[in-house]
Amino acid sequence: MTPQPTTASADGPPLLEVRDLTVEFRGQTGKVAAVNGVSFDVRPGETLALVGESGSGKSVTSLAIMRLIQRAGGNRVGGSIRLRRRSGDTVDLLAVSEDEIREIRGTEIAMVFQEPMTSLNPVHTIGAQVAEGIVFHRRVSRKAALAEAVELLDLVGIPEPQRRIRNFPHQLSGGMRQRAMIAVALACKPNLLIADEPTTALDVTIQAQILELLQGLQRQTGMSIVFITHNLGVVAEVADRVLVMYAGRIVEEAGVVPLFGRPLMPYTQGLLRSVPRLDMMSGAHEELEAIPGNVPDPTAMPAGCAFHPRCAHFRPSLCDTAVPGLEPADPEHSVRCARWRDVAAGVPA
Amino acid sequence: MSSFLTRRLIQSLILLWIVSMIGFALLHLTPGGPLSQFANTPGMSDEDLTRLAEQMGLNRPLPVQYLEWFGRLLTGDWGRSYRDQSPVLYVIGSRLGATLQLMITATLIAVIVGGFVGVVGAVRRYSFFDQFVTIGAMVALSIPTFWFGLVVIYVFSVKLGWLPPGNISPVGNESFIVFVHHLIGPSMVLGLVTTAIWSRFMRSSMLDVINQDYVRTARAKGLSERIVLVRHVLRNALLPMITIAGLEVPTLLSGALVTETVFTWPGMGRLFLDSIGYRDYPVVMGLLTFTAILVIIGNLLADILYVVADPRIRLQ
């Protein structure tokens, strides 16, 4: 494994191409579109951040990539998710057989979940849980897999790994458990790691350690990371590119520098303004801005732009009639807003 | 672990003492008594009866009788049957095997059939199978044991002639095959309620676990569905079932009472009913104490097994 720069190059075919992904859940009140026509690429070696509030569809998107959404009970997953496999073939993850998706899970795409407390099985040892995937996918002996588990725990910075493989999850702290979770995900050396809010449940100091760990592992292995978070501080720290999601749609897509420097979608601007900053302390009575209102009820989506009821730039009969398309503002920056030119030009709300 | 056992042992003894006291009081509250069977004997005078009562210690106040009985129990003397003067422990011991055979078979049926039905019902939730067995379990729980026993005898013994209508084996032929043939009917009847209970608890326990985050983790590893279900779902879903199994001991014991009577199975349940009929106080009290001990042991075993099966529980 040769070290690769964290920042990916824009050229080369993408590792993952998500096109028009739509996920509908059937609830008691009818169909609910949790994800609505989402398209994006993940390039080799890059970190793509998926940002949005709870209910924006970011976690559902990640579960759809893993094909972990139950399709029974009237749930529907549409569109395509094309993965370039190690073999060089490109396959649609939504169309491959159960056996093939199982082979891809863990070995080519792996996932780290939000809750390290509940995401590890309480009755199996850490070592068994790390080794399990290795035994299953590579058909090696349990002993050899456990030896690899020790190396993996060492890799993710767990001290005394030889002893820790015999521990149960409850014997580890939250941060250590998340490290173990990462070791589980890395066990079969995936090309793509999906990290669904991996630091949200952790203390702030531990959060920074986990982020550093993930970045270090990415430099060593060259894997791509899809990083799902609602924390813009984390985004600035780790991401190369950012997708902002709102109510099941991508509303802005840009490199991390242009997005933070020149956000075009009023929602993104609101998110950035609602992050507390140190320099605000100097101001006498400056209050932290919040976006007014709430995320729309998925069963009763507003017509037109889903953000219009909360938007300062709202124009009747423009914003509440048709859903605006995702327009390129420049080649590496797209925005879904009917008034993005006015917003960009600083026309007051 | 040893201090846990000591504590549980002391709790158990106190429980046993309370149970025996209540049982003793209830037994003596029932009308009639051991003497009533002699009262109709021709030539029996009132003086004879008084003398008998004195001999048997029945003329003393109840608390004194209880303390005497309990004191002897602690020294290992469980008394003698009024019927034939054989020691109570010997009488119970001669019936214990038949009841245990019945209970263990019924438990096996419940664990295997109920467990399977519960697991499949949870995995194929809301399927035809699931809804069918849900209704089936409700029906099974609503059927009175004595009635189901009679139906089994009527259908399988009288109409079809497949099963013997009762007893443990015919005189002179005590081979294992014959014994198993006789065991089918009563264990089916005794196991019915437990099977239904087990299937419901197993299903809900599986469903609790199936939605856990660690099951999603297991799927994300790309494991086969069978490994996910067995190693991650079932392994965890069985933990609460240990407690359920412990709690099933009294259900089985009281079920055995009826089942053994219907199938004339020579076990403790029938002995209990017979002894109550005879007002055989020492045997009834002995059986009461003995079944209480069985229930307590069952729960104690469940607690110990739980500790072994769940690494999160450590006793200090």
Side-chain angles (χ1 to χ4, degrees), chain A residues 156-191:
Chain A
V156 297
I158 293 180
E160 299 180 85
Q162 199 74 50
R163 197 166 65 83
R164 287 298 183 187
I165 58 163
R166 284 193 296 275
N167 279 171
F168 289 96
H170 70 273
Q171 292 167 303
L172 268 59
S173 67
M176 283 300 147
R177 254 180 261 183
Q178 196 57 297
R179 283 173 193 269
M181 196 59 221
I182 293 170
V184 168
L186 293 181
C188 292
K189 307 193 168 44
N191 289 334

Side-chain angles (χ1 to χ4, degrees), chain A residues 80-124:
Chain A
S80 72
I81 301 173
R82 298 179 67 77
L83 173 78
R84 192 154 50 78
R85 295 202 57 179
R86 279 217 182 88
S87 59
D89 299 346
T90 301
V91 295
D92 183 355
L93 297 179
L94 295 181
V96 295
S97 68
E98 226 17 75
D99 283 340
E100 188 168 358
I101 190 73
R102 208 172 282 143
E103 191 188 309
I104 291 169
R105 278 183 207 146
T107 62
E108 302 201 25
I109 309 178
M111 195 157 174
V112 176
F113 296 98
Q114 179 173 352
E115 277 290 340
M117 312 297 272
T118 55
S119 294
L120 290 166
N121 194 324
V123 303
H124 296 301

Side-chain angles (χ1 to χ4, degrees), chain A:
Chain A
M1 266 167 229
T2 48
Q4 285 189 358
T6 318
T7 320
S9 51
D11 41 66
L15 178 66
L16 190 80
E17 284 180 333
V18 177
R19 289 294 173 272
D20 207 24
L21 178 69
T22 301
V23 181
E24 280 176 358
F25 293 113
R26 188 187 291 278
Q28 283 166 339
T29 48
K31 273 191 231 164
V32 169
V35 174
N36 203 336
V38 163
S39 301
F40 62 89
D41 290 349
V42 181
R43 299 162 191 167
E46 80 166 341
T47 301
L48 177 69
L50 230 59
V51 186
E53 289 166 279
S54 331
S56 60
K58 53 195 196 308
S59 287
V60 175
T61 302
S62 67
L63 290 174
I65 295 171
M66 293 296 282
R67 213 164 97 180
L68 283 173
I69 292 172
Q70 296 282 327
R71 286 202 237 192
N75 300 338
R76 209 180 64 84
V77 182
S80 72
I81 301 173
R82 298 179 67 77
L83 173 78
R84 192 154 50 78
R85 295 202 57 179
R86 279 217 182 88
S87 59
D89 299 346
T90 301
V91 295
D92 183 355
L93 297 179
L94 295 181
V96 295
S97 68
E98 226 17 75
D99 283 340
E100 188 168 358
I101 190 73
R102 208 172 282 143
E103 191 188 309
I104 291 169
R105 278 183 207 146
T107 62
E108 302 201 25
I109 309 178
M111 195 157 174
V112 176
F113 296 98
Q114 179 173 352
E115 277 290 340
M117 312 297 272
T118 55
S119 294
L120 290 166
N121 194 324
V123 303
H124 296 301
T125 60
I126 298 293
Q129 296 190 58
V130 176
E132 187 175 39
I134 302 173
V135 173
F136 185 80
H137 289 295
R138 299 222 312 267
R139 311 247 170 251
V140 298
S141 72
R142 201 181 134 79
K143 210 176 153 209
L146 277 175
E148 276 191 51
V150 172
E151 284 172 32
L152 280 160
L153 291 191
D154 191 43
L155 181 72
V156 297
I158 293 180
E160 299 180 85
Q162 199 74 50
R163 197 166 65 83
R164 287 298 183 187
I165 58 163
R166 284 193 296 275
N167 279 171
F168 289 96
H170 70 273
Q171 292 167 303
L172 268 59
S173 67
M176 283 300 147
R177 254 180 261 183
Q178 196 57 297
R179 283 173 193 269
M181 196 59 221
I182 293 170
V184 168
L186 293 181
C188 292
K189 307 193 168 44
N191 289 334
L192 174 63
L193 182 71
I194 301 173
D196 187 358
E197 310 229 14
T199 60
T200 307
L202 302 174
D203 288 346
V204 179
T205 47
I206 309 293
Q207 283 186 14
Q209 292 174 10
I210 296 290
L211 292 181
E212 275 170 37
L213 171 67
L214 283 173
Q215 285 180 301
L217 291 168
Q218 187 179 37
R219 272 193 297 275
Q220 284 179 45
T221 63
M223 65 184 172
S224 308
I225 298 180
V226 172
F227 203 104
I228 294 160
T229 182
H230 62 266
N231 184 335
L232 287 168
V234 170
V235 173
E237 183 115 354
V238 300
D240 299 313
R241 284 193 310 128
V242 186
L243 298 175
V244 181
M245 285 189 75
Y246 187 79
R249 285 195 170 89
I250 292 174
V251 294
E252 188 157 6
E253 175 178 359
V256 67
V257 177
L259 188 98
F260 278 81
R262 185 170 166 258
L264 294 177
M265 168 76 191
Y267 175 63
T268 316
Q269 293 181 338
L271 279 183
L272 287 169
R273 274 198 302 270
S274 61
V275 176
R277 291 191 319 272
L278 267 184
D279 57 7
M280 279 165 44
M281 306 286 187
S282 56
H285 289 292
E286 213 174 334
E287 267 186 43
L288 194 57
E289 270 188 63
I291 305 174
N294 287 307
V295 183
D297 178 356
T299 59
M301 277 293 175
C305 171
F307 186 61
H308 84 251
R310 304 171 73 185
C311 185
H313 297 269
F314 167 63
R315 286 286 181 278
S317 80
L318 172 68
C319 297
D320 55 3
T321 48
V323 180
L326 196 62
E327 284 180 52
D330 59 63
E332 287 285 299
H333 195 156
S334 307
V335 59
R336 186 190 294 279
C337 176
R339 301 196 62 221
W340 70 268
R341 286 182 181 82
D342 293 343
V343 174
V347 174

